[in-house]
Amino acid sequence: LGVVTAATSLITALAQKNPEEFKMSVSLAVSRLSRIVSSASSDLQDYTYYFIPAPWLSVKLLRLLQCYPPPEDRAVQGRLTECLETIMNKIQEPPKSRKVQYSNAKNA
């Protein structure tokens, strides 16, 4: 996931300059975000920070998605909506840790 995180930063920068050329990255970003959000903690054990799977990559993918309007494809739009609902529902869960780092990761 380290390479994916770095590549996402690069693609976001390029998409901000040439949005049309990187429009296909929207469906890939939604797919990756969906896998992160729906994965079990054990799947991304090395990339879990205070019970949040891959928070840095998730934030970068959301920043990439900000460069574009909502997807027109209903399937991609549905997956994105599901991801966002899952993220918002996890915010409402009671804290699993009292440390400030958990709060920061959860609300990133």
Side-chain angles (χ1 to χ4, degrees), residues 3-84:
V3 173
V4 175
T5 303
T8 302
S9 296
L10 176 64
I11 292 168
T12 300
L14 294 171
Q16 288 172 341
K17 293 184 179 188
N18 300 313
E20 284 301 315
E21 291 183 30
F22 293 92
K23 198 169 192 169
M24 75 285 199
S25 64
V26 171
S27 63
L28 297 172
V30 170
S31 175
R32 177 63 71 164
L33 185 62
S34 176
R35 285 190 289 184
I36 291 169
V37 169
S38 64
S39 70
S41 296
S42 60
D43 293 345
L44 296 170
Q45 185 176 357
D46 292 339
Y47 297 97
T48 299
Y49 183 75
Y50 284 93
F51 310 103
I52 311 293
W56 300 278
L57 179 55
S58 298
V59 169
K60 287 182 183 238
L61 290 169
L62 290 169
R63 284 189 184 148
L64 173 61
L65 293 172
Q66 283 182 328
C67 297
Y68 296 97
E72 294 176 7
D73 182 1
R74 292 283 184 195
V76 175
Q77 190 176 34
R79 285 177 75 181
L80 179 58
T81 302
E82 185 179 306
C83 288
L84 295 174

